Amino acid sequence: MFVRFTLGLAISAALPLAATAAEVNIYTTREPGLVKPLLEAFTKSTGITVNTVFLKDGLPERVASEGESSPADILMAVDAGNLVDLVEKGVTQPIQSAVLTDAVPSQLRDPDGHWFGLSYRARVLYAAKDLDLTSFNYEQLADSAWKGKICIRPGQHPYNTALIADYIAHYGAEETEKWLAGVKANLARKAAGGDRDVAKDILGGICDIGIANSYYVGLMRSGKGGEDQVAWGQAIKVVLPTFKEGGTQVNISGAAVAKHAKNRDEAIKLLEYLVSDEAQKIYAEANYEYPVKAGVAADPIIESFGKLTIDKTPLGEVVRHRKQASELVDKVGFDS
């Protein structure tokens, strides 16, 4: 399933992309409403037309099947694993850009220049407001003190397999299996639902703490999710957990230049624009994501969580443990 947009305006998927003197074509799995403000701002700033095709899934397969005839210049996706999949499918190309390497922390980009993080979200702790809790380590999720007090979405969801993969990168598979079994033993209910359900169930007294993404708090407290979700967001406080010997686990939204990009220079210009102060501010405002560029403030709701220290494990290394993480979820029966 896909929809094509030109500056956010839907047009027929059967029509060819318009040929202009200066244009760039994006294939993306990001929601159209989230990228539209960024692309409109880029066109206004540069005069370069942006044609966008939104794909619900199957991005690597689509580009690979099109081969050299693919019109795609930029491939944009959520989750580092999806960006690595593009590289492994052979549909990206490395680029060199001092603007990008200066703006994007090394652990949030491909060391060979195939992909770059453009914004990120943290895997944080939601906690009942009355808990005397100001700091937390991911390792503590397996402590018996939290037995029957933890809510979380399914372990097989990519948000959680990424966290488990990061745990493997820190401690190895054997220790991660023990930890994961300990977390399962502490669940207040079956691992199910979504991240916002963690806040909802804390409000409902089902659990005291849970792990979820940072940006959902912005979506809830801002009212964008409706009045009920405002109450869920207000019922929790957010603690930025870390690994005992590391930082907070994060994941990215990012992009790569397509292997057969016809508008390579324009593609690079767009990626460089997306790490500018202007674009990073839009990222922060549109979806409550953390800007990758230092010095650009996150939304005030997100800033209220305190100073975040990103874990230093490169996301490319974390992704290599995804399959093992998924296998451990099944091995300990986390979702059963």
Side-chain angles (χ1 to χ4, degrees), residues 50 98 130 196 200 223 265 295 302-303 314 330:
V50 183
D130 60 354
R196 278 177 270 203
K200 178 183 179 182
D265 290 345
I302 305 303
E303 286 281 330
D330 287 343

Side-chain angles (χ1 to χ4, degrees), residues 24-27 59 63 70-77 83 86-97 100 110 112-118 254-272 274:
V24 61
N25 303 316
I26 300 177
Y27 282 13
L59 177 58
V63 181
S70 176
D73 298 311
I74 288 179
L75 310 176
M76 186 179 289
L83 292 165
L86 292 170
V87 178
E88 293 179 347
K89 197 74 172 179
V91 297
T92 64
Q93 62 173 289
I95 63 170
Q96 293 184 344
S97 166
L100 288 165
D110 178 59
D112 297 319
H114 278 271
W115 52 264
F116 297 85
L118 301 173
V257 175
K259 182 177 181 178
H260 300 295
K262 310 300 189 299
N263 303 295
R264 186 177 185 274
D265 290 345
E266 289 78 7
I268 294 173
K269 284 182 182 178
L270 176 51
L271 292 185
E272 290 179 342
L274 292 176

Side-chain angles (χ1 to χ4, degrees), residues 6 28 46 72 92 108 122 160 193 216 222 225 277 297 330:
T6 300
T28 179
T46 65
T92 64
L108 304 185
N160 282 333
Y216 285 116
S222 68
D277 288 359
D330 287 343

Side-chain angles (χ1 to χ4, degrees), residues 30 34 37-38 118-120 214-215 218-219 222 224 274 276-293 295-303:
R30 294 226 70 179
L34 298 180
L38 291 157
L118 301 173
S119 63
Y120 66 93
S214 52
Y215 68 91
L219 293 173
S222 68
K224 289 186 176 180
L274 292 176
S276 68
D277 288 359
E278 179 182 35
Q280 289 287 289
K281 185 174 184 290
I282 295 173
Y283 268 117
E285 294 173 346
N287 199 36
Y288 303 96
E289 296 174 306
Y290 283 98
V292 295
K293 186 176 183 182
V296 179
D299 181 89
I301 294 174
I302 305 303
E303 286 281 330

Side-chain angles (χ1 to χ4, degrees), residues 32-329:
L34 298 180
V35 296
K36 179 183 174 183
L38 291 157
L39 304 183
E40 289 181 335
F42 171 73
T43 296
K44 183 177 180 180
S45 174
T46 65
I48 298 173
T49 299
V50 183
N51 307 302
T52 307
V53 176
F54 170 70
L55 299 97
K56 186 175 181 181
D57 48 36
L59 177 58
E61 294 76 15
R62 167 73 180 272
V63 181
S65 69
E66 292 175 342
E68 293 186 14
S69 64
S70 176
D73 298 311
I74 288 179
L75 310 176
M76 186 179 289
V78 179
D79 188 278
N82 291 325
L83 292 165
V84 170
D85 288 344
L86 292 170
V87 178
E88 293 179 347
K89 197 74 172 179
V91 297
T92 64
Q93 62 173 289
I95 63 170
Q96 293 184 344
S97 166
V99 172
L100 288 165
T101 55
D102 287 347
V104 183
S106 60
Q107 65 267 49
L108 304 185
R109 53 182 163 85
D110 178 59
D112 297 319
H114 278 271
W115 52 264
F116 297 85
L118 301 173
S119 63
Y120 66 93
R121 68 285 306 272
R123 205 74 181 135
V124 301
L125 189 82
Y126 292 3
K129 277 193 167 181
D130 60 354
L131 282 181
D132 184 17
L133 197 63
T134 57
S135 63
F136 198 85
N137 298 130
Y138 294 113
E139 294 85 345
Q140 291 176 257
L141 291 168
D143 289 353
S144 59
W146 298 106
K147 189 171 182 64
K149 298 180 179 179
I150 296 176
C151 288
I152 197 168
R153 75 190 306 160
Q156 287 293 6
H157 191 279
Y159 295 164
N160 282 333
T161 53
L163 174 60
I164 298 163
D166 207 348
Y167 205 97
I168 294 172
H170 279 269
Y171 298 110
E174 184 176 347
E175 286 301 313
T176 302
E177 181 181 345
K178 294 177 183 176
W179 172 75
L180 198 57
V183 179
K184 175 181 169 56
N186 288 341
L187 295 181
R189 57 156 169 80
K190 181 179 178 179
D195 282 1
R196 278 177 270 203
D197 290 310
V198 174
K200 178 183 179 182
D201 288 346
I202 289 174
L203 174 62
I206 295 172
C207 44
D208 289 345
I209 63 171
I211 291 292
N213 276 351
S214 52
Y215 68 91
Y216 285 116
V217 182
L219 293 173
M220 289 186 289
R221 291 183 182 172
S222 68
K224 289 186 176 180
E227 290 184 12
D228 287 346
Q229 292 189 19
V230 173
W232 303 351
Q234 295 295 346
I236 62 171
K237 61 181 176 182
V238 176
V239 179
L240 299 177
T242 64
F243 291 99
K244 288 181 179 178
E245 300 296 332
T248 300
Q249 197 264 335
V250 304
N251 210 328
I252 59 172
S253 298
V257 175
K259 182 177 181 178
H260 300 295
K262 310 300 189 299
N263 303 295
R264 186 177 185 274
D265 290 345
E266 289 78 7
I268 294 173
K269 284 182 182 178
L270 176 51
L271 292 185
E272 290 179 342
Y273 170 77
L274 292 176
V275 297
S276 68
D277 288 359
E278 179 182 35
Q280 289 287 289
K281 185 174 184 290
I282 295 173
Y283 268 117
E285 294 173 346
N287 199 36
Y288 303 96
E289 296 174 306
Y290 283 98
V292 295
K293 186 176 183 182
V296 179
D299 181 89
I301 294 174
I302 305 303
E303 286 281 330
S304 72
F305 304 160
K307 180 176 173 54
L308 184 147
T309 301
I310 303 172
D311 191 55
K312 293 183 179 180
T313 309
L315 289 183
E317 180 182 339
V318 172
V319 167
R320 288 198 291 271
H321 299 292
R322 282 182 303 169
K323 184 174 184 295
Q324 199 170 24
S326 176
E327 290 170 347
L328 288 180
V329 170

